[in-house]
Amino acid sequence: MVYRWRARSGEFTVWSASREETVERVKTYIAKRNQRRLTQEGVMVGWSCPYCDRRNSAHDEHVALETFKQHLFSHKKPLLESGLHVADEINGTGSIAVLSPVASTGANNARVHFLSPGDVVVIVTTDPAARIDLLRSKLSEWPEWTVLLTTKENPLEGLSGVQLMDIPVEIVHLDKQMGLGSLTETISRVLEEQQAPGRKIAFEFDILTELIQKAKLQRIFKFLHLLTARLEDVTALSHFFVNRDRMASSMNVLDPVFDMQIKADGPLFLQE
């Protein structure tokens, strides 16, 4: 579970498992919003609070800024909540676009957060060994069952100390020439096999950036529309990684397919 702070305007939200990281990001946000309240007064740096009559100044600019940020946060601290999940925003079920490179600290934090609620985990990836290693090392226990869909010929390559017979993991091999229609059918079949009353499915899709680069955007939109509808049918919690730096214009088109978008930045999840 994570901490959450949301601006009253609703235009900025930050989540993190770390209270300290959450607070620091909030302080930076509030100070930036009120930077006009910082003034140079001769050799002193001064500030005035927009929420009360408090004023202060210091010779050292860093000291003045940190004091300013701390004071501003004292007014906004009541907005800090704990014991939440990002998916609470969508009632625990739906599709989330995670704007982050697939191989990054932020992406791994997102994986742990979004896969943890799943009794069954289904992942479409080109790096199954890394996903198995993360499940093994970061989750408190193995999911009841995990299905990895991949084109990798040797899915455990580079992973030591693990045999498929010893872990609750199934590998579904995908043809590298498989079209989007066939991929949808394969994922749908896996979801149908894993669906059961009271069983929560958590779904991860690693390869959206690559698909956007290879296929026409209209086809990607249709594919995602069909896939997210199928995921909704089984009340799954799903997340799709997209490298925002490379796919910004494409995501403007694809955004309606998802229930929410967040940015994964190290230990933080951001919506702004």
Side-chain angles (χ1 to χ4, degrees), residues 37-236:
R37 293 280 184 161
L38 284 165
T39 57
Q40 189 73 43
E41 304 169 355
V43 296
M44 306 285 282
V45 176
W47 56 262
S48 61
C49 179
Y51 309 116
C52 69
D53 296 330
R54 179 76 181 276
R55 294 175 178 272
N56 208 331
S57 61
H59 287 284
D60 188 291
E61 181 179 355
H62 176 73
V63 171
L65 180 58
E66 289 303 310
T67 305
F68 182 50
K69 288 164 66 176
Q70 182 61 40
H71 177 77
L72 290 175
F73 180 72
S74 70
H75 287 283
K76 299 297 185 179
K77 185 177 178 180
L79 298 177
L80 182 64
E81 302 173 89
S82 62
L84 301 175
H85 194 282
V86 173
D88 292 343
E89 306 290 317
I90 53 175
N91 297 319
T93 299
S95 299
I96 300 171
V98 180
L99 308 180
S100 169
V102 170
S104 65
T105 300
N108 281 339
N109 286 333
R111 289 184 176 99
V112 173
H113 187 68
F114 291 117
L115 296 179
S116 293
D119 301 307
V120 173
V121 167
V122 179
I123 304 175
V124 181
T125 182
T126 57
D127 195 353
R131 304 299 160 258
I132 291 173
D133 187 51
L134 180 132
L135 293 174
R136 165 177 76 166
S137 62
K138 298 298 183 180
L139 298 190
S140 58
E141 60 182 0
W142 283 100
E144 179 184 326
W145 194 247
T146 298
V147 183
L148 293 166
L149 296 88
T150 183
T151 57
K152 193 87 176 222
E153 294 181 5
N154 183 1
L156 299 186
E157 184 178 0
L159 188 62
S160 60
V162 175
Q163 297 293 329
L164 276 177
M165 67 181 67
D166 300 326
I167 56 177
V169 174
E170 174 188 355
I171 303 294
V172 175
H173 290 279
L174 301 176
D175 190 321
K176 291 182 179 180
Q177 305 304 317
M178 177 180 286
L180 293 179
S182 297
L183 179 57
T184 305
E185 291 175 4
T186 302
I187 295 172
S188 182
R189 185 170 62 251
V190 169
L191 294 174
E192 184 176 359
E193 291 171 352
Q194 300 304 324
Q195 184 181 15
R199 206 181 203 191
K200 183 66 176 179
I201 297 177
F203 178 84
E204 174 183 333
F205 196 82
D206 278 1
I207 62 172
L208 184 53
T209 299
E210 288 77 5
L211 291 183
I212 293 172
Q213 291 174 323
K214 294 177 181 178
K216 291 182 178 180
L217 207 53
Q218 185 178 3
R219 291 189 62 211
I220 298 297
F221 185 93
K222 181 179 179 181
F223 163 73
L224 289 174
H225 180 73
L226 293 172
L227 178 56
T228 54
R230 184 68 185 97
L231 288 162
E232 184 178 352
D233 287 342
V234 298
T235 62

